[in-house]
């Protein structure tokens, strides 16, 4: 068993990200597996200098030490390019020259009024037509017509979440052909995370509930690339005072790792774990592993 915690260095760890870090660590440790840390800094425009090292220091203060040296997505572009090249050769990826305005107008013309803040379902505007690659283009993955799908047949993904049970999503209808590489040259999250999980041999992904909708896209991409699909579990989110997910965008405060046991106990309570007090971080974590092992399948997931 190999699990991972993959923070983005846009700010230090807060209470919500500590829940994900602790849960992924406990899940692996309870099975006697290996736990890795990946710094997801593929979107360099949003990342802040030095925050990656701060995150690693926060984890270390709480006793969450990876079993292998951390990796940085910004250093793995060759892997992502190789995956995109494979998809292009298979006829599954294609260039898209649509601007946001183009997509807005296309969705309106199709009678699907786009939400200003929600995700837009790509209408397939550039699929099947020649798009010059000498200008700024994005690269999209087909969710029809590829990898054994009959012409025009929708891609429906059925999968099992360890917490939520059976899940299904019609990618063609609910998402459309999604971006693998952005028009500004940055790699999209979906491609990077799929390639990295496979390259690092990740068997189990434990992460926040806000990412559950990404899972079908990642499973489809794994199938297109011939990669294994990990087991997934999506955790309840820590919410801010406004009722939204606690995040750096809504002012989440960095956890104070000068009191690591307080941080760990708070994360455990959110996960529904009752861990007895301990004098040291190491002793507390050992108890937490035992609690997780005894109750995770019955009570948590």
């Amino acid at each position: 068993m190999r699990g991972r915690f993959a923070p983005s260095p846009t700010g230090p760890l807060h209470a919500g990200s500590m829940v994900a870090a602790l849960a992924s660590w406990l899940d692996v440790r309870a099975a006697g597996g290996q736990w890795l840390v990946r710094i997801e800094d593929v979107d360099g425009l949003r990342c802040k200098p030095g925050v990656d090292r701060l995150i690693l220091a926060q984890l270390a203060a709480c006793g969450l030490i990876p079993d292998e040296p951390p990796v940085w997505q910004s250093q793995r572009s060759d892997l992502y390019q190789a995956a995109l090249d494979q998809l292009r050769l298979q006829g599954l990826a294609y260039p898209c020259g649509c601007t946001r305005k183009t997509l807005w107008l296309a969705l309106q013309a199709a009678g699907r009024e786009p939400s200003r803040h929600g995700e837009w379902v790509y209408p397939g505007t550039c699929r099947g037509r020649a798009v010059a690659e000498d200008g700024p283009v994005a690269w999209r993955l087909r969710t029809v017509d590829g990898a054994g799908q009959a012409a025009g047949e929708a891609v429906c993904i059925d999968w099992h979440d360890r917490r939520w049970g059976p899940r299904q999503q019609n990618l063609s209808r609910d998402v459309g052909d999604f971006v693998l590489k952005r028009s500004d040259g940055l790699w999209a999250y979906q491609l990077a995370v799929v390639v990295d999980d496979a390259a690092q041999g990740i068997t189990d992904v434990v992460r926040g509930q806000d990412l559950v909708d990404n899972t079908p896209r990642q499973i489809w991409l794994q199938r297109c690339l011939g990669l294994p699909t990990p087991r997934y579990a999506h955790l309840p989110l820590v919410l801010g005072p406004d009722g939204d997910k606690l995040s750096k965008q809504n002012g989440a405060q960095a956890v104070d790792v000068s009191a690591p046991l307080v941080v760990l106990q708070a994360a455990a309570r959110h996960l529904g774990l009752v861990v007895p007090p301990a004098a040291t971080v190491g002793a507390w974590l050992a108890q937490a592993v035992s609690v997780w092992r005894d109750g995770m399948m019955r009570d948590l997931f």
Side-chain angles (χ1 to χ4, degrees):
M1 182 173 180
R2 285 167 66 87
R4 48 76 165 175
F5 176 59
S8 296
T10 55
L13 299 182
H14 52 72
S17 42
M18 278 305 306
V19 166
L22 177 62
S24 63
W25 187 90
L26 289 174
D27 198 49
V28 169
R29 286 290 179 265
Q34 295 177 307
W35 186 71
L36 310 181
V37 172
R38 177 194 312 144
I39 303 298
E40 295 198 335
D41 61 342
V42 70
D43 188 349
L45 300 177
R46 296 177 56 244
C47 298
K48 300 178 181 178
V51 171
D52 52 352
R53 298 297 176 183
L54 174 57
I55 288 172
L56 294 173
Q58 289 177 295
L59 293 171
C62 292
L64 306 181
I65 310 295
D67 295 304
E68 296 178 4
V71 300
W72 278 255
Q73 284 187 332
S74 58
Q75 301 171 5
R76 300 167 70 79
S77 183
D78 288 349
L79 291 175
Y80 310 145
Q81 186 63 55
L84 178 59
D85 290 344
Q86 176 183 334
L87 294 168
R88 291 181 62 183
L89 287 173
Q90 294 172 275
L92 298 176
Y94 63 89
C96 172
C98 294
T99 64
R100 191 167 179 83
K101 182 177 180 180
T102 301
L103 292 181
W104 180 278
L105 294 174
L107 288 168
Q108 283 187 319
R112 292 181 285 174
E113 188 68 27
S115 166
R116 290 188 178 276
H117 303 292
E119 190 168 7
W120 296 2
V121 177
Y122 182 69
T125 307
C126 291
R127 186 197 309 140
R129 77 178 191 184
V131 175
E133 298 177 33
D134 54 353
V137 295
W139 284 88
R140 293 184 179 270
L141 181 69
R142 293 177 180 270
T143 54
V144 293
D145 296 339
Q149 297 294 322
E153 184 179 345
V155 174
C156 294
I157 301 295
D158 292 280
W159 58 285
H160 183 87
D161 187 277
R162 289 169 56 194
R163 177 169 180 258
W164 296 98
R167 307 278 294 184
Q168 183 184 77
Q169 186 180 66
N170 183 320
L171 278 180
S172 306
R173 180 193 64 208
D174 300 336
V175 176
D177 300 350
F178 55 91
V179 172
L180 303 172
K181 189 176 187 180
R182 293 169 18 180
S183 60
D184 60 5
L186 295 177
W187 295 103
Y189 165 73
Q190 309 296 352
L191 181 66
V193 72
V194 163
V195 170
D196 286 337
D197 281 346
Q200 294 184 285
I202 300 302
T203 64
D204 291 78
V205 174
V206 176
R207 59 189 181 187
Q209 180 181 334
D210 56 317
L211 293 172
V212 70
D213 192 54
N214 288 275
T215 305
R217 275 170 265 190
Q218 291 166 18
I219 292 173
W220 174 238
L221 188 47
Q222 288 154 2
R223 293 176 184 175
C224 291
L225 288 167
L227 301 175
T229 295
R231 292 180 292 269
Y232 290 97
H234 290 86
L235 305 168
L237 298 177
V238 178
L239 303 180
D242 57 1
D244 290 334
K245 170 197 169 187
L246 190 65
S247 69
K248 297 149 192 170
Q249 285 72 34
N250 64 7
Q253 297 298 307
V255 292
D256 181 3
V257 291
S258 66
L261 285 171
V262 173
V263 173
L264 291 168
Q265 283 281 21
R269 283 195 299 271
H270 185 76
L271 291 166
L273 301 178
V274 180
V275 183
T280 67
V281 166
W284 187 92
L285 287 172
Q287 293 180 154
V289 169
S290 180
V291 171
W292 184 281
R293 182 184 296 119
D294 291 343
M296 66 178 180
M297 297 306 296
R298 182 180 65 255
D299 300 326
L300 189 59
F301 297 120

